[in-house]
Amino acid sequence: MSLERTLRIIAGTFILISVGLGFWHNPKWFYFSGFVGLNLFQSGFTNWCPMMNILRAAGLKDCKTE
């Protein structure tokens, strides 16, 4: 699996979990959803995301673009 695909899966999972926790446990979890969303937004412009560095260190490779 490519780095980009794994990153999308992780971000989506974080959003879903934090929205569920915010709804059923404590509304302050919505701040985490906002943090993930803002990070995705800025990475769209800068092409840099801290999770990408972690995933590269774990051995995942970037997808090849042609």
Side-chain angles (χ1 to χ4, degrees):
M1 192 176 305
S2 71
L3 177 104
E4 288 81 6
R5 191 171 192 171
T6 305
L7 181 67
R8 289 185 190 124
I9 291 169
I10 290 170
T13 303
F14 282 173
I15 293 290
L16 289 173
I17 289 171
S18 64
V19 166
L21 286 169
F23 185 74
W24 285 297
H25 180 60
N26 186 336
K28 291 185 179 183
W29 279 101
F30 293 129
Y31 291 120
F32 185 69
S33 299
F35 170 76
V36 174
L38 282 172
N39 193 34
L40 288 169
F41 181 77
Q42 72 82 23
S43 71
F45 291 105
T46 64
N47 200 28
W48 178 80
C49 176
M51 183 60 78
M52 290 177 84
N53 294 337
I54 294 168
L55 294 173
R56 282 188 187 113
L60 280 120
K61 304 291 183 201
D62 292 331
C63 68
K64 296 181 181 181
T65 57
E66 297 178 32

